């Protein structure tokens, strides 16, 4: 049996007839939906008819409000951003200035340290000169000592001084040099020399006055008290601007050394006049 | 008839009971015959027919004329039948020989007794197809719906209807290729 034959037979399927009375039952059971009266349709609430337009309008209004708020916030943020950028630029400038100040402070500190080191160096040089002078005097002093011991031998045989006779404590001033020659110098700049003074006694040395004989010479801040066995400095500044040729200036030092209460210091120089130094 | 049914349906939508009665007269026999073949008993078929029309009247406002009233009514009937079928336990749905219960006064479509015998064997084999294919055969061949109408009623694509019919014919051909095998 082929497809056509099968389809032919299938299309001939008998239709069972409905039972009697079904038609009447179906007609009785008709329940048609009540159509809405036209007047009711016309009297739909106003808001319902306008609801789509109103809702769209509200949505649009909401969007506009949101847009306005966002724009305002955006403008405010931009203003804040500009202010912050300006503040950042100020901070950068302050940082630069701070760095410059720090470098200046470091340079000043270096300068102070250099000055201190320079003064210390001058002091040490003076001490070295003093020690060299003392070392040169040492053979003479030894000979003097031996001579004095020889002279004192008969005295040693004499009876000892009575108890209660106190040994006196005195300071003894000693300079590294009492004469300083600057040599050949120009008259353009002031000349400075530091005299080193030592106390070789056993009492504190009080240097009460350092008095130059000429207004061209000034004394710097000297050590007014020198402990026993220690040394101090007396800076002397000489202004050669008004001189030409060899000169010699005297500075008088007054102290409490009973043997040498006044010590004269001599400064010498051979001054050359420089033409451009003239005003 | 389609135009007349559409006109009657529009009148019924406007609340015309006479038009609704005319629609009942036009379609109730065809609808009953279809549901009778599917359901397996006269009582169930009559009940399903009433339910189908009741649902149709309730949903009459939704008919917009996109499909014919007949197709729309078959679609409602299909859903009514599926709901009823789901509510029945599988063993409770009898596979009766509906072709044997046709009234005597109905015209006999078969020309010879041999053709009737062949057709009855064919109908019996159709009742043993799977449910989807069986419903497709009922709608397309027994009810005379087109492929598109059948697809519309079942809610499937036209290609699916063609595929199911092809499967049904192939199955039936294999059954008839065997030398008069008893229907199981």
């Amino acid at each position: 049996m082929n497809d056509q034959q099968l389809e032919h037979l299938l299309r001939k399927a008998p239709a069972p007839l409905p039972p009697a009375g079904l038609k009447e039952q179906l007609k009785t059971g008709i329940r048609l939906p009540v159509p809405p009266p036209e007047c009711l349709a016309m009297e739909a609430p106003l808001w319902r008819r306008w609801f789509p337009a109103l809702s769209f309008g509200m949505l649009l209004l909401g969007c506009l409000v949101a847009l306005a708020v966002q724009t305002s916030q955006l403008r405010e943020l931009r203003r804040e951003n500009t202010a912050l950028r300006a503040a950042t630029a100020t901070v950068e400038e302050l940082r630069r200035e701070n760095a410059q100040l720090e470098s200046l402070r470091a340079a000043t500190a270096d300068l102070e340290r250099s000055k201190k080191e320079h003064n210390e160096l001058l002091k040490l040089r003076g001490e070295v000169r003093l020690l060299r002078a003392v070392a040169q005097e040492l053979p003479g002093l030894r000979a003097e000592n031996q001579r004095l011991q020889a002279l004192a031998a008969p005295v040693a045989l004499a009876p000892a001084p009575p108890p209660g006779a106190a040994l006196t404590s005195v300071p003894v001033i000693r300079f590294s040099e009492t004469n300083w020659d600057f040599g050949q110098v120009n008259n353009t700049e002031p000349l400075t020399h530091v005299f080193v003074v030592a106390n070789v006694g056993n009492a504190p040395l009080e240097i009460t006055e350092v008095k130059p004989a000429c207004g061209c010479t000034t004394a710097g801040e000297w050590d007014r008290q020198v402990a026993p066995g220690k040394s101090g400095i007396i800076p002397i500044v000489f202004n050669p601007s008004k001189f030409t040729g060899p000169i010699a200036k005297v500075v008088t030092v007054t102290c409490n050394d009973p043997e040498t209460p006044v010590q004269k210091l001599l400064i010498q120089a051979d001054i050359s006049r420089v033409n451009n130094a003239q005003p | 008839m389609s135009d007349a049914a559409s006109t009657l349906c529009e009148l019924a939508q406007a609340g015309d009971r006479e038009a609704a009665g005319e629609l009942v007269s036009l379609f109730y026999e065809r609808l009953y015959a279809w549901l009778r073949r599917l359901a397996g008993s006269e009582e169930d078929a009559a009940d399903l027919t009433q339910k189908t029309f009741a649902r149709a009247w309730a949903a009459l406002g939704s008919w917009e004329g996109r499909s014919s009233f007949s197709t729309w009514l078959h679609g409602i009937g299909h859903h009514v039948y599926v709901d009823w079928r789901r509510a029945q336990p599988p063993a409770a749905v009898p596979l009766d020989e509906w072709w044997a219960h046709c009234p005597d006064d109905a015209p006999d479509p078969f020309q010879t007794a041999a053709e009737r015998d062949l057709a009855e064997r064919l109908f019996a084999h159709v009742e043993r197809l799977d449910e989807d294919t069986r419903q497709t055969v009922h709608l397309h061949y027994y009810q005379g719906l087109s492929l598109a109408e059948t697809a519309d009623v079942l809610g499937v694509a036209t290609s699916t209807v063609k595929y199911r019919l092809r499967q049904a014919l192939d199955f039936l051909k294999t059954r008839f290729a065997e030398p008069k095998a008893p229907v199981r």
Side-chain angles (χ1 to χ4, degrees):
Chain A
M1 189 176 287
N2 57 27
D3 288 350
Q4 287 74 25
Q5 290 171 325
L6 284 173
E7 288 181 326
H8 177 72
L9 278 180
L10 288 170
R11 287 200 171 95
K12 280 188 174 182
L17 289 175
L22 179 61
K23 184 178 178 182
E24 284 69 30
Q25 287 178 9
L26 291 173
K27 284 188 175 181
T28 308
I30 293 173
R31 297 281 185 276
L32 295 177
V34 181
E38 289 186 6
C39 56
L40 288 178
M42 291 298 290
E43 288 178 4
L46 187 67
W47 67 270
R48 182 174 289 178
R49 277 186 282 160
W50 283 96
F51 181 73
L54 284 175
S55 59
F56 179 73
M58 293 293 287
L59 184 65
L60 190 62
L61 190 63
C63 289
L64 285 175
V65 169
L67 193 63
V69 170
Q70 281 188 349
T71 307
S72 170
Q73 288 179 345
L74 195 62
R75 194 176 298 130
E76 186 69 22
L77 287 173
R78 278 183 183 157
R79 200 159 41 237
E80 284 182 12
N81 192 15
T82 307
L84 286 173
R85 280 186 180 171
T88 307
T90 308
V91 167
E92 287 297 325
E93 191 172 347
L94 287 173
R95 277 183 186 162
R96 269 199 302 276
E97 286 181 3
N98 194 21
Q100 287 176 355
L101 285 174
E102 288 292 330
S103 62
L104 281 175
R105 190 179 295 169
T108 307
D110 287 345
L111 194 60
E112 289 293 327
R113 193 167 57 250
S114 297
K115 278 184 181 175
K116 282 183 182 174
E117 287 175 358
H118 181 66
N119 287 335
E120 190 71 19
L121 184 63
L122 291 175
K123 189 174 173 181
L124 290 173
R125 278 180 183 171
E127 284 183 0
V128 167
R129 276 196 297 271
L130 180 63
L131 291 173
R132 280 178 183 166
V134 169
Q136 284 174 0
E137 290 177 2
L138 195 59
L141 289 173
R142 279 180 182 163
E144 183 70 16
N145 191 21
Q146 286 173 357
R147 188 177 60 81
L148 289 174
Q149 281 179 351
L151 288 176
V155 179
L157 298 174
L167 291 174
T168 55
S169 299
V170 292
V172 177
I173 190 169
R174 189 85 70 200
F175 282 92
S176 58
E177 72 277 321
T178 55
N179 186 7
W180 181 257
D181 190 354
F182 286 110
Q184 190 81 29
V185 295
N186 292 327
N187 65 342
T188 53
E189 293 180 350
L191 304 171
T192 303
H193 180 68
V194 177
F195 287 94
V196 176
V197 57
N199 180 9
V200 295
N202 53 6
L205 174 66
E206 303 281 345
I207 300 174
T208 54
E209 189 179 23
V210 178
K211 186 176 181 183
C214 177
C216 60
T217 309
T218 54
E221 188 64 27
W222 72 88
D223 291 329
R224 294 180 186 274
Q225 189 175 55
V226 181
K230 299 294 181 182
S231 62
I233 59 169
I234 300 176
I236 301 297
V237 180
F238 169 61
N239 185 3
S241 60
K242 294 179 181 176
F243 300 94
T244 307
I247 57 101
K249 300 294 177 185
V250 175
V251 177
T252 306
V253 177
T254 307
C255 65
N256 62 344
D257 184 351
E259 287 191 1
T260 316
V262 174
Q263 175 73 49
K264 300 286 187 184
L265 302 176
L266 184 64
I267 294 174
Q268 292 175 302
D270 186 6
I271 301 168
S272 303
R273 179 169 292 276
V274 179
N275 290 333
N276 56 10
Q278 295 291 338
Chain B
M1 184 167 121
S2 178
D3 290 341
S6 298
T7 307
L8 289 170
C9 190
E10 288 170 3
L11 290 171
Q13 281 179 326
D16 189 344
R17 283 182 63 88
E18 291 290 330
E22 284 296 317
L23 287 171
V24 170
S25 301
L26 281 173
F27 292 103
Y28 89 102
E29 288 179 330
R30 198 162 167 231
L31 189 69
Y32 171 83
W34 172 48
L35 293 171
R36 171 70 185 84
R37 294 188 201 106
L38 288 175
S41 78
E42 291 181 359
E43 291 77 16
D44 290 335
D47 189 40
L48 292 174
T49 305
Q50 288 185 0
K51 284 183 180 175
T52 301
F53 272 104
R55 280 199 197 178
W57 303 139
L60 193 59
S62 66
W63 183 78
E64 295 173 345
R66 282 197 293 266
S67 60
S68 70
F69 184 78
S70 168
T71 306
W72 183 70
L73 193 63
H74 274 84
I76 293 174
H78 170 69
H79 286 107
V80 168
Y81 169 72
V82 168
D83 291 346
W84 171 81
R85 175 85 186 213
R86 279 181 188 152
Q88 306 295 317
V93 180
L95 291 173
D96 75 326
E97 297 176 338
W98 49 265
W99 53 92
H101 297 285
C102 293
D104 293 338
D105 54 348
D108 192 348
F110 306 107
Q111 294 173 354
T112 62
E115 189 182 47
R116 165 175 282 278
D117 182 48
L118 196 61
E120 286 180 358
R121 283 179 56 212
L122 184 61
F123 300 148
H125 285 306
V126 168
E127 292 310 301
R128 278 149 185 84
L129 291 169
D130 68 88
E131 185 60 27
D132 289 339
T133 311
R134 174 174 166 255
Q135 288 189 33
T136 308
V137 170
H138 275 245
L139 282 169
H140 182 63
Y141 290 120
Y142 297 171
Q143 288 297 102
L145 299 186
S146 67
L147 293 173
E149 287 172 336
T150 305
D152 200 12
V153 169
L154 295 175
V156 296
T158 309
S159 57
T160 306
V161 172
K162 287 180 183 175
Y163 174 74
R164 288 178 183 174
L165 293 176
R166 182 72 259 157
Q167 276 194 318
L169 291 176
D170 289 345
F171 171 77
L172 294 172
K173 273 197 292 189
T174 58
R175 303 307 292 178
F176 279 92
E178 298 167 4
K180 199 150 186 176
V183 178
R184 284 173 291 166

